[in-house]
Every structure is written in structure tokens, then in C-alpha cells.
Amino acid sequence: MNLKENTRRWLPKVRKMALSLPMALLAAMILVGINETGHMRSQDAVERMTHGQNTRSAVNTLLQSMLDAETGQRGYLLTGNETYLEPYDNAVATVQTNLDRLRNHFMDSPDDMQEFALLSRQISRKLAEMELSLRLRRQGNEDAWKFILHTDVGKEHMQAIRKHALELIARSDQRVELGKQQIEQSLMLSRIGIATVTAIGLLAFYMYLRQAQALQTVSQREQALLERERDRLEGLVRERTATLSELANHLQEVREEERGHLARELHDELGALLTAAKLDVARLKSKIDATAPDIAERLKHLTETLNSGIALKRRIIEDLRPSSLSNLGLTAAIEILTREYAERAGIEVETSLEAVKLPDAAQLTVYRMVQEALTNIGKYAKAHKVLVSVHSYPTHVTVQVRDDGVGFDPTAVRSTSHGLAGMRHRVEAAGGRLSLTSSPGDGTLLSAVLPVRRMPGEVPEISA
């Protein structure tokens, strides 16, 4: 329930955090749009300003050419010197070029084109008037060219040219001014847009930081809850594991006690019965005629059967509770166990045994481990040779059982294989650890390390 409630509390915060990202993206898109719009408007304004400046420059150049032409024309009329005609001819030659250039500037503006047509007409009239005066001067018609010179026709033409030229210049200046205003508006729009987008971005970032901090706080709280729950579960697992381990140890002790009790019962009760039967057979031999072949054969068979029963009883008792372990010690008990196993299984068994100092329970653990390992070798290993070693060190005792059998893959051992699990539990209950090394075709090595008995206050240490 706590996780569900916390999840429900997270959802609005996650939605708000998810909203801050689209806001930031929207702000970025708006900023890009404003910049692009401002760039386009500014570019258009720059083009207008450039067009206006070029128009103004062309009109001024045209006026200057007309003035140069008029100055050259008057100089020639007054002096008759041909050198004055050179600036006149140059100016007249550039007038047409300037007119063509201006015509290209005004192609997209009907109003300007109309004004340019008037200017062009006045220029044509002025050029015709100057050309007429020059022709009359060359023809020697003094009265005619002087009459034209003293009239106001040329002056009127020049005034009309200046009027139309100034009108075109004023329109060009107006375009330049309009371009300046447009650039200023674009800059102002960009400033307003950048400020607005910056405010939106800061707001989105602030919302993101707040929600991120809130989510981090909630996540830390949830992490703490999960850690407490994990600690609680681990504690339960440790308690259950300890309980199961204690139960397993108790069952192991009960099993050993039952085996000891059964061994004592077999030794006391069955042993007494078999011994009494053997004594009765001995008495019968002395009281009946044993020379008869049939009776002698029966008595011999009965005696051998009783001896086999006594031997079987002794072997069962040793398997249940090895008397050699309590009477002779671990080394002798393992020697007897391996020798009897070698005779029974027909497998060569070598031993390398050292005297060890272990508690009785740990000695029984070592004995049972070797016993179980030999049993498994006889069942599954198909081995020809086995090495059993027990070595003592200052801090620990190592026990190894190695065979040259077919081996197996330890990872493929089924969980229902209780023999290995039982050995591992016995060794770990004694404070040691058990390891198994094997691979198909390379035999098997079973190794255990158990701590030695220490004086109170000493720290046990197990090294491989």
C-alpha cells in the first residue's frame, strides 16, 4: 500500500516535470522563429537601404554629368575653344549609362518609374537644347545661339531636372529611413522575444529543478523504505536460516544418537544371541556323533553361518557407530575404513594421514565425509585408484578424497542429491567449508577445511 500511495503522489510531479520539457522546447522554437523573422526583416531592410543608397548615388551622378555637360557646352559657346567640348562629350556619354542604370533600379516601382520618365524627358530636352546651341555655334550663327543662351529655356530645363532628381533622391532617402525603422523594429522585436523566451526558459528550468528535487526527495524516501524492508527480509532470512541450521544440526545429532543406540542394541542383544548360538553349536558337537558325514556337514555350515552373522553384525555396528573412532582415534579409524573399503570394492586406496587435534564431533564429521565420499566413488566414479589424505596445520585441518574416475559437471548436480548437501552441512556445522572440483574424464577432488580447537580468546582462522 505504501508503494502504491507513493506512486500516486509521484504522478502529478512527473506530469509537471514532463510539462516543463515541452515548455522549454516551445521557448526554443519561439526563439528560433523570432530570430529567423528578425533576420529576414533585417535582410529585407538592408536590401531596401542598399537600393535607396544606390539610387541616390546614381541620381547624383546623373546630375553631376548634366552639370559637367552644361559647363563644357557654355565654355565652348563663350570661347569657341574645342577643348571645352571634351568634358561635354564625356558627360553626355555617361548620361545614357546613368539613365539605364536608374531605369533598372525603378523597374519594380511604378511611382518611381513615372517620376523617372519625367526626369528622362527633361534630360532629353536639355541635351537637345545644348546640342542645338553647339550646332548653331559651329555654323557661325551667332545671333541664334546667343539668343538661345540668353533665354531661360536651359535654366528651366535644369530646374526641372533638379526637381525630378531631388524627388527621386527624397524617395530613396525615404526608403533608407524606412529600412532603418524596420531594422530598429526587428531589433526591438528580437529583444522582446529573447527576453520573453528567456523568462519562459527560466520558468521551465525552475519548474524542472523543483520537480527534480521533489522526485529526488521521494526517491530517497522510497530507497530508505526499500532498504528497511530489505533489512527486515534479510533478518527474517537469517533467522529462518539459523532455525533451519539448528534443526538440521539437531536432526544430525538425533540421527547419530539413534545410530549409536542401534549399534549398542545390535552389539548387546544380537551379539549375545549369536554368541549363545555359537556356544550351543560347540556343545552339540561334543554330545553328538560328528563322524556322520551329513551331521558334520550341517554343523560346519551352521558354524560358518554364525561366523558370517557375527561378522555382518560387526560391520553393521561399525557403519552405524565406528568403535575404532572412539577407541583408536581418527587416523586409525580412517585406515581401517579405507582398508575394508578397498577389500570390499576391489579399488586401490592410498592414504596420507597425519594425527590431528579435533573435537569428537569434528572427528566424526571427517569420518562420515570420507565414508560418504568412498560410497559415492563406489557407486558412480568407476575409479581404479583413490587417495585419502588428512593433514594438520597450526590453524586448520585439511581433508581430501581424490579419485581417477569418470568425473562429472558439478553445475549439473541435481538439487535432490542429498549426499553432497549432507557432507557440506556437516562440514559447515563444524565451522569449516567444503569444496568440490571435477570435470568429465578428469576425476573428482573433494576437499574440506576445518578449524582446529583453540584456547578461549583465540580467533579462529581458516586458510586455504
Side-chain angles (χ1 to χ4, degrees):
M1 291 298 293
N2 292 334
L3 291 176
K4 291 182 179 179
E5 292 177 358
N6 289 327
T7 302
R8 283 197 293 269
R9 288 199 300 268
W10 282 4
L11 290 177
K13 297 176 181 178
V14 172
R15 293 193 186 100
K16 291 181 180 179
M17 178 175 285
L19 180 62
S20 62
L21 180 61
M23 289 180 60
L25 293 176
L26 179 61
M29 293 175 63
I30 293 175
L31 180 60
V32 172
I34 291 174
N35 286 334
E36 287 297 322
T37 303
H39 173 72
M40 294 174 63
R41 289 171 59 88
S42 298
Q43 188 175 11
D44 183 60
V46 168
E47 290 178 356
R48 289 185 180 181
M49 293 174 64
T50 303
H51 183 271
Q53 291 175 353
N54 291 336
T55 301
R56 181 187 181 93
S57 176
V59 171
N60 287 329
T61 302
L62 180 61
L63 284 176
Q64 185 63 43
S65 297
M66 292 301 298
L67 291 175
D68 292 342
E70 187 181 33
T71 301
Q73 180 249 0
R74 288 183 179 272
Y76 174 76
L77 291 177
L78 294 176
T79 62
N81 190 352
E82 293 289 337
T83 57
Y84 285 100
L85 292 178
E86 182 178 355
Y88 170 80
D89 293 336
N90 293 334
V92 170
T94 59
V95 167
Q96 190 60 45
T97 303
N98 291 331
L99 287 174
D100 294 338
R101 187 184 302 171
L102 283 174
R103 185 178 292 105
N104 292 330
H105 281 294
F106 300 138
M107 290 296 293
D108 297 332
S109 178
D111 295 337
D112 292 343
M113 197 65 185
Q114 184 177 359
E115 190 69 26
F116 171 74
L118 297 176
L119 174 63
S120 179
R121 190 177 302 116
Q122 294 297 331
I123 290 175
S124 297
R125 291 175 180 174
K126 179 61 177 176
L127 291 176
E129 179 260 331
M130 289 190 296
E131 182 64 27
L132 177 61
S133 299
L134 291 175
R135 188 170 60 253
L136 293 174
R137 180 73 170 83
R138 291 191 185 98
Q139 293 174 357
N141 193 346
E142 296 290 334
D143 295 334
W145 68 263
K146 287 182 180 179
F147 174 77
I148 294 173
L149 183 64
H150 288 89
T151 61
D152 294 331
V153 174
K155 180 179 178 183
E156 292 175 356
H157 288 164
M158 284 301 299
Q159 288 178 349
I161 290 172
R162 287 191 181 93
K163 175 184 176 183
H164 294 301
L166 291 176
E167 179 64 25
L168 291 174
I169 291 174
R171 293 186 179 184
S172 299
D173 292 341
Q174 186 177 3
R175 289 194 187 91
V176 172
E177 187 64 26
L178 182 62
K180 290 180 179 180
Q181 293 177 3
Q182 188 173 353
I183 291 176
E184 291 177 356
Q185 291 176 0
S186 298
L187 292 176
M188 181 61 66
L189 179 63
S190 298
R191 292 177 62 185
I192 295 174
I194 291 173
T196 303
V197 170
T198 302
I200 295 174
L202 291 175
L203 178 60
F205 184 66
Y206 173 72
M207 291 175 61
Y208 174 80
L209 289 180
R210 283 195 59 187
Q211 300 309 318
Q213 184 177 6
L215 286 178
Q216 184 179 7
T217 303
V218 174
S219 177
Q220 291 175 352
R221 189 182 301 115
E222 289 299 321
Q223 187 68 25
L225 289 175
L226 291 175
E227 289 180 357
R228 286 198 294 270
E229 185 67 16
R230 183 189 61 191
D231 294 340
R232 186 182 69 83
L233 293 176
E234 288 179 353
L236 290 176
V237 171
R238 285 194 296 268
E239 291 178 3
R240 297 292 175 83
T241 303
T243 302
L244 293 176
S245 180
E246 291 176 0
L247 179 59
N249 292 335
H250 175 69
L251 293 176
Q252 194 69 41
E253 293 175 358
V254 170
R255 180 187 179 190
E256 291 297 336
E257 290 177 0
E258 290 295 330
R259 290 166 71 113
H261 175 71
L262 182 57
R264 287 190 298 272
E265 290 292 327
L266 289 174
H267 180 273
D268 296 340
E269 300 296 333
L270 183 60
L273 291 174
L274 292 175
T275 302
K278 190 175 181 180
L279 291 174
D280 289 339
V281 171
R283 292 191 189 96
L284 287 174
K285 283 183 180 182
S286 63
K287 293 182 179 182
I288 63 174
D289 185 9
T291 58
D294 188 31
I295 295 175
E297 183 67 25
R298 291 289 181 181
L299 289 174
K300 181 180 178 183
H301 179 71
L302 181 58
T303 301
E304 291 176 353
T305 302
L306 289 173
N307 288 334
S308 298
I310 291 172
L312 178 61
K313 181 265 301 181
R314 185 180 298 112
R315 188 167 66 251
I316 293 174
I317 291 174
E318 286 298 319
D319 289 339
L320 291 174
R321 187 72 174 183
S323 60
S324 58
L325 182 61
S326 57
N327 296 327
L328 303 177
L330 179 62
T331 303
I334 293 178
E335 287 179 349
I336 295 172
L337 174 65
T338 56
R339 183 173 62 253
E340 292 180 351
Y341 172 80
E343 294 174 355
R344 187 169 62 252
I347 299 175
E348 180 184 356
V349 180
E350 293 184 3
T351 58
S352 177
L353 308 175
E354 295 179 357
V356 296
K357 294 180 180 180
L358 289 173
D360 294 341
Q363 291 187 23
L364 181 59
T365 297
V366 174
Y367 184 87
R368 293 300 187 197
M369 170 191 161
V370 175
Q371 187 181 40
E372 182 69 22
L374 293 175
T375 301
N376 290 338
I377 291 172
K379 289 181 179 180
Y380 311 111
K382 299 179 182 180
H384 301 286
K385 186 175 181 180
V386 179
L387 173 61
V388 179
S389 63
V390 178
H391 296 288
S392 178
Y393 297 92
T395 59
H396 62 277
V397 172
T398 61
V399 183
Q400 291 184 341
V401 180
R402 184 191 299 272
D403 68 74
D404 61 352
V406 296
F408 63 97
D409 183 5
T411 60
V413 176
R414 294 177 299 176
S415 59
T416 56
S417 180
H418 301 298
L420 181 60
M423 283 190 286
R424 189 181 303 279
H425 176 74
R426 279 180 175 272
V427 173
E428 290 178 354
R433 65 172 180 267
L434 183 74
S435 62
L436 178 68
T437 304
S438 182
S439 61
D442 291 336
T444 303
L445 171 62
L446 185 67
S447 179
V449 181
L450 294 94
V452 299
R453 176 179 290 178
R454 295 183 161 269
M455 299 299 293
E458 292 185 286
V459 179
E461 179 183 352
I462 299 177
S463 60

